[in-house]
């Protein structure tokens, strides 16, 4: 599964919050950047971000002078930061939920920036969505759990542990879909083997 680190733009520019919006515009023009990361004032401080939209909507649209407006006056801070190990599907969902156009990729330090363009550029890579991959894994885990229970018995600890793994995976799929299944795989199994419920109570 592609991660934020795989698709992010490493060529990212930073700017001081005290810089003018004119400085930001000039810097954006240099490399056709759509956004700049606003530097932290100290290590415990949060990063900020200033985008083309900020400049157009908050400065140009109101006839303000870019040379008299400071970056900190129109930037977004703190901005939502993306973990480099976050899957692309999750990044897209985060962007959708918060109406983001770009966000810094940070793990201790600034690693890059990820934008809608980066996500779109890799959306047709042919990679299966995380939810589909989990569904396939779930089918294998259910079959594995049934085999273990057949060999060890429905009341065995091995059987209970196998169904624990299945339910954990099914919970992840439910989270992906934001929908709880009507019946879990373990509940379906218990309809066939009611005694399996006893295995969920472990000896201490």
């Amino acid at each position: 599964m592609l991660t934020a680190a795989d698709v992010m733009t490493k060529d990212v520019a930073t700017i001081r919050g005290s810089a003018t919006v004119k400085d930001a515009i000039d810097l954006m023009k240099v490399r056709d950047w759509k956004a700049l990361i606003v530097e932290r004032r100290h290590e415990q401080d949060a990063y900020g971000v200033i985008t083309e939209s900020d400049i157009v909507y908050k400065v140009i649209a109101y006839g303000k002078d870019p040379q008299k407006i400071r970056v900190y006056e129109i930037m977004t801070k703190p901005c939502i930061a993306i973990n480099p190990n976050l899957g692309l599907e999750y990044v897209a969902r985060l962007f959708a939920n918060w109406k983001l156009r770009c966000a810094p990729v940070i793990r201790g330090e600034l690693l890059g920036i990820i934008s809608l363009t980066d996500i779109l550029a890799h959306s047709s890579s042919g990679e299966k969505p995380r939810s589909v991959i989990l569904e396939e894994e779930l089918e294998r885990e259910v079959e594995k759990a049934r085999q273990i229970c057949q060999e060890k018995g429905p009341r065995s600890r091995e059987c209970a542990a196998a169904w624990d793994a299945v339910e954990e995976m099914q919970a992840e799929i439910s989270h992906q879909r934001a929908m709880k299944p009507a019946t879990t795989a373990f509940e379906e199994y218990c309809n066939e083997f009611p005694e399996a419920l006893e295995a969920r109570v472990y000896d201490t």
Side-chain angles (χ1 to χ4, degrees):
M1 182 179 184
L2 290 175
T3 65
D6 295 324
V7 306
M8 70 181 183
T9 300
K10 296 180 181 178
D11 183 19
V12 56
T14 62
I15 191 169
R16 297 186 314 277
S18 60
T20 67
V21 171
K22 175 65 165 55
D23 293 332
I25 294 173
D26 291 342
L27 189 53
M28 286 178 174
K29 287 180 178 178
V30 171
R31 298 291 293 275
D32 194 28
W33 282 305
K34 307 297 182 186
L36 303 172
I37 301 302
V38 182
E39 297 171 1
R40 299 182 296 180
R41 291 171 299 170
H42 48 80
E43 288 189 5
Q44 284 70 43
D45 193 19
Y47 283 101
V49 63
I50 180 172
T51 67
E52 287 182 324
S53 298
D54 292 324
I55 296 171
V56 172
Y57 298 160
K58 301 174 183 178
V59 179
I60 298 175
Y62 290 94
K64 296 179 179 179
D65 186 350
Q67 297 190 62
K68 296 181 178 179
I69 305 297
R70 301 290 175 176
V71 168
Y72 71 81
E73 295 180 67
I74 67 170
M75 70 180 181
T76 298
K77 180 179 179 177
C79 58
I80 292 176
I82 304 297
N83 185 302
N85 297 324
L86 193 63
L88 195 58
E89 186 177 338
Y90 291 99
V91 176
R93 190 174 304 161
L94 195 61
F95 272 48
N97 291 340
W98 291 92
K99 303 295 185 293
L100 301 177
R101 296 184 62 84
C102 63
V105 180
I106 297 170
R107 183 168 58 193
E109 61 182 357
L110 179 64
L111 302 178
I113 189 169
I114 185 168
S115 67
L116 289 174
T117 302
D118 296 321
I119 295 173
L120 285 172
H122 294 83
S123 63
S124 58
S125 61
E127 186 179 72
K128 292 181 180 179
R130 174 67 174 161
S131 57
V132 174
I133 295 173
L134 284 174
E135 284 281 6
E136 294 174 352
E137 292 179 359
L138 177 63
E139 290 181 13
R140 291 192 292 270
E141 286 296 323
V142 168
E143 182 59 31
K144 179 181 175 183
R146 285 181 170 273
Q147 290 178 357
I148 291 174
C149 294
Q150 184 176 358
E151 295 173 4
K152 303 293 184 177
R155 293 190 179 92
S156 68
R157 290 191 177 194
E158 292 84 354
C159 179
W163 284 113
D164 282 344
V166 168
E167 290 201 322
E168 184 175 336
M169 187 171 294
Q170 201 154 28
E172 172 65 13
I173 293 173
S174 297
H175 175 70
Q176 291 274 335
R177 294 177 171 175
M179 181 189 305
K180 184 179 179 181
T183 307
T184 67
F186 180 65
E187 288 171 341
E188 292 176 0
Y189 180 76
C190 287
N191 288 335
E192 302 173 42
F193 304 94
E195 64 271 27
L197 281 170
E198 298 176 19
R200 303 308 291 275
V201 180
Y202 299 104
D203 294 333
T204 56

